[in-house]
Amino acid sequence: GENVEQHPSTLSVQEGDSAVIKCTYSDSASNYFPWYKQELGKGPQLIIDIRSNVGEKKDQRIAVTLNKTAKHFSLHITETQPEDSAVYFCAASTTGNQFYFGTGTSLTVIP
Amino acid sequence: ETGVTQSPTHLIKTRGQQVTLRCSSQSGHNTVSWYQQALGQGPQFIFQYYREEENGRGNFPPRFSGLQFPNYSSELNVNALELDDSALYLCASSLDVVSTDTQYFGPGTRLTVL
């Protein structure tokens, strides 16, 4: 089955700096890669996603890049704000819409 | 808000008991997936239901079972509870079983097994 690895596990940045989280996947059949933000005591919230026919997608301060050849994808958050502090999960979806998640990155934005 | 709701919010059970968790999907979403999230870990896929039939299962034993109903509600049942079953249980709904369909998560049910 699919295996998704995520790095780093923890990340601290100064407010206004950029944050980058990286994930790799193993199954070349995976073709959908969402990113979720999870705040304490809440369920994961979709923040951005990318499909395998696209190399990059941007939504205001958030961007995702995908390298299908290398089987890795990354989340980029620019101009970080304290409210960006949360746990971020990457995921990969293969046949049947079954998601496989990474282990999460705890992001802390220091004011 | 995703429009996906779960009940109850918290639940405490003892080892050996049985538990039923409930989920209400977004209207029109034919697929519901259930995940187990242990503390400090990513969600792990338990199983998925599509139009009331099981459509895939992760590495979980048969004592984890589910049901999906025509009114977009679903259940996760766990028999013979073990201490390791303590976790946040999440349901997620999506339109279909196409791999590129977005999944929308509920807030989860926190299960504690003593």
Side-chain angles (χ1 to χ4, degrees):
Chain A
E2 175 64 280
N3 181 46
V4 178
E5 295 189 357
Q6 182 173 347
H7 300 280
S9 58
T10 60
L11 181 60
S12 292
V13 300
Q14 292 291 135
E15 182 177 357
D17 286 351
S18 295
V20 180
I21 303 170
K22 298 182 179 181
C23 289
T24 61
Y25 61 99
S26 61
D27 189 345
S28 57
S30 291
N31 58 1
Y32 175 62
F33 307 92
W35 285 89
Y36 287 87
K37 175 183 181 181
Q38 188 173 28
E39 297 175 324
L40 202 60
K42 297 185 178 181
Q45 177 189 5
L46 179 73
I47 55 171
I48 196 168
D49 56 13
I50 191 167
R51 289 167 172 79
S52 60
N53 58 346
V54 175
E56 184 173 358
K57 183 178 179 180
K58 189 173 182 179
D59 182 5
Q60 299 183 338
R61 297 186 296 110
I62 296 174
V64 58
T65 59
L66 171 65
N67 183 327
K68 286 175 56 181
T69 303
K71 295 183 190 169
H72 67 71
F73 55 113
S74 300
L75 176 71
H76 304 252
I77 306 174
T78 59
E79 300 172 19
T80 53
Q81 301 167 3
E83 51 265 38
D84 294 330
S85 296
V87 179
Y88 291 81
F89 291 97
C90 62
S93 174
T94 179
T95 55
N97 193 226
Q98 296 168 16
F99 283 18
Y100 296 86
F101 283 83
T103 49
T105 296
S106 178
L107 173 64
T108 302
V109 179
I110 304 166
Chain B
E1 298 299 324
T2 63
V4 180
T5 60
Q6 292 186 243
S7 63
T9 306
H10 296 89
L11 202 53
I12 299 175
K13 292 286 188 178
T14 57
R15 193 171 50 183
Q17 285 189 313
Q18 178 267 342
V19 69
T20 297
L21 311 181
R22 293 180 172 83
C23 172
S24 179
S25 300
Q26 281 193 25
S27 180
H29 280 193
N30 295 308
T31 305
V32 63
S33 303
W34 285 90
Y35 294 84
Q36 180 194 68
Q37 187 178 21
L39 204 60
Q41 299 295 318
Q44 296 289 316
F45 175 71
I46 301 175
F47 47 57
Q48 181 185 82
Y49 278 77
Y50 173 66
R51 296 184 185 271
E52 302 165 49
E53 297 286 334
E54 187 176 295
N55 182 60
R57 188 178 188 91
N59 189 25
F60 281 81
R63 60 189 185 84
F64 286 78
S65 63
L67 287 171
Q68 185 186 28
F69 304 101
N71 64 351
Y72 304 113
S73 67
S74 58
E75 293 179 353
L76 164 66
N77 299 288
V78 187
N79 294 321
L81 284 167
E82 301 177 358
L83 297 179
D84 285 349
D85 295 334
S86 295
L88 181 68
Y89 287 86
L90 298 160
C91 72
S93 75
S94 54
L95 192 61
D96 213 319
V97 288
V98 176
S99 60
T100 54
D101 277 349
T102 301
Q103 291 190 10
Y104 298 93
F105 282 82
T109 294
R110 172 72 62 187
L111 173 64
T112 302
V113 182
L114 302 176

